């Protein structure tokens, strides 16, 4: 099997940089700010999470018959039974929010831009661009979860919070922080099926989704970021 495309390590490096510079993660590391930041993150992410199954399903329906690995992965991610969404909404109770409150809140401009870009790449462009958008989005979700989970685990703990409330409220973050070996294999095969080059340039769709997430995360301009050795090469 061919190796992953050369742009993947660069994408991961940039997501890591986003985690290290975003006010989100700075506040999550501060016991005095984590609760309010956690609440605001739910408002920022819910409109995107709400529309994600529809976007993934659109890409899955556009796949050529030959792309079995992609179909397997996207079937899992499309969340037809809304299991992942239910886990995400369990976070609301943990920070004293209701679904109605989150649904009624105005959508932040950066979140709306992210939602619009996902619709563009997944529903209006080719399935290849949709795949690149989904890959970027899934890697962002993984890195967000791995970066935030230690802070959440420390803050939301007994006796201040009931064990059942903690278990339900952190289930989405814990799930996305895990390594899912089968998903990783399918993703690798999926990318091998669509890649026709081994260069280091991040595909447009992945670049656009990454940039949109960076704006949601309130990261500084990437011009301030020093390039990694991989990018220099």
């Amino acid at each position: 099997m061919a190796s992953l495309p050369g742009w993947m390590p660069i994408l991961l490096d940039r997501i890591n940089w986003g985690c290290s510079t975003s006010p989100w993660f700075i506040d999550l590391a501060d016991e005095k700010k984590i609760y309010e930041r956690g609440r605001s993150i739910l408002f920022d992410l819910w409109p995107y999470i709400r529309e994600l199954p529809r976007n993934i399903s659109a890409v899955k329906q556009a796949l050529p018959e030959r792309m079995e690995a992609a179909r397997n992965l996207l079937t899992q991610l499309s969340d037809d039974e809304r299991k992942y969404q239910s886990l995400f909404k369990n976070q609301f109770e943990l920070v004293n929010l209701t679904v109605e409150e989150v649904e009624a809140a105005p959508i932040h401009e950066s979140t709306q831009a992210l939602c619009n870009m996902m619709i563009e790449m997944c529903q209006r462009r080719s399935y290849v661009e949709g795949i690149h958008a989904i890959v970027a989005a899934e890697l962002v979700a993984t890195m967000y979860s791995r970066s935030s989970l230690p802070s959440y685990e420390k803050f939301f703990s007994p006796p201040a919070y009931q064990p059942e409330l903690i278990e339900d409220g952190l289930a989405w973050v814990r799930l996305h922080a895990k390594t899912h070996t089968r998903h990783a294999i399918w993703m690798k095969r999926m990318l091998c099926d669509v890649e026709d080059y081994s260069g280091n340039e991040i595909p447009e769709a992945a670049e656009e989704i990454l940039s949109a997430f960076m704006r949601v995360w309130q990261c500084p301009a990437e011009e301030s970021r020093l390039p990694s050795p991989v990018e220099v090469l």
Side-chain angles (χ1 to χ4, degrees), residues 2-116:
S3 60
L4 283 168
W7 54 266
M8 285 287 285
I10 298 172
L11 181 71
L12 289 169
D13 180 72
R14 288 176 60 189
I15 296 172
N16 278 319
W17 175 84
C19 292
S20 69
T21 60
S22 166
W24 281 24
F25 303 99
I26 295 172
D27 287 353
L28 291 177
D30 187 336
E31 186 176 356
K32 296 179 180 178
K33 296 181 179 180
I34 183 173
Y35 185 83
E36 288 303 321
R37 174 59 72 176
R39 284 170 61 95
S40 70
I41 286 173
L42 297 180
F43 285 105
D44 288 337
L45 290 184
W46 173 243
Y48 161 77
I49 295 293
R50 182 177 56 204
E51 298 300 320
L52 188 58
R54 185 181 309 172
N55 287 320
I56 296 176
S57 292
V59 179
K60 182 178 69 172
Q61 291 171 11
L63 290 174
E65 187 65 29
R66 63 180 174 83
M67 297 193 64
E68 181 180 354
R71 184 167 289 101
N72 289 338
L73 177 61
L74 299 185
T75 296
Q76 291 290 312
L77 299 180
S78 61
D79 198 20
D80 293 337
E81 298 179 358
R82 300 302 188 263
K83 173 185 175 182
Y84 299 149
Q85 279 198 3
S86 294
L87 293 180
F88 188 91
K89 288 191 287 188
N90 285 345
Q91 297 174 95
F92 298 168
E93 186 177 358
L94 191 60
V95 290
N96 293 308
L97 289 172
T98 65
V99 174
E100 291 75 21
E101 285 180 282
V102 180
E103 287 279 4
I107 301 176
H108 193 279
E109 181 180 352
S110 60
T111 299
Q112 187 62 64
L114 170 61
C115 293
N116 293 344

Side-chain angles (χ1 to χ4, degrees), residues 111-183:
T111 299
Q112 187 62 64
L114 170 61
C115 293
N116 293 344
M117 187 57 65
M118 283 295 289
I119 291 172
E120 173 68 22
M121 295 302 174
C122 295
Q123 299 187 35
R124 297 173 183 161
R125 301 282 188 97
S126 72
Y127 74 88
V128 175
E129 289 165 300
I131 283 173
H132 288 150
I134 292 167
V135 167
E138 286 299 310
L139 293 176
V140 166
T142 297
M143 298 309 296
Y144 158 74
S145 298
R146 290 177 180 174
S147 296
S148 62
L149 182 58
S151 296
Y152 285 140
E153 296 271 16
K154 182 178 179 181
F155 183 83
F156 295 105
S157 59
Y161 293 86
Q162 294 298 316
E164 184 177 350
L165 182 63
I166 297 169
E167 185 69 24
D168 291 343
L170 295 184
W172 187 92
V173 179
R174 286 169 171 167
L175 177 66
H176 285 78
K178 290 180 179 178
T179 297
H180 299 275
T181 303
R182 183 176 296 181
H183 286 190

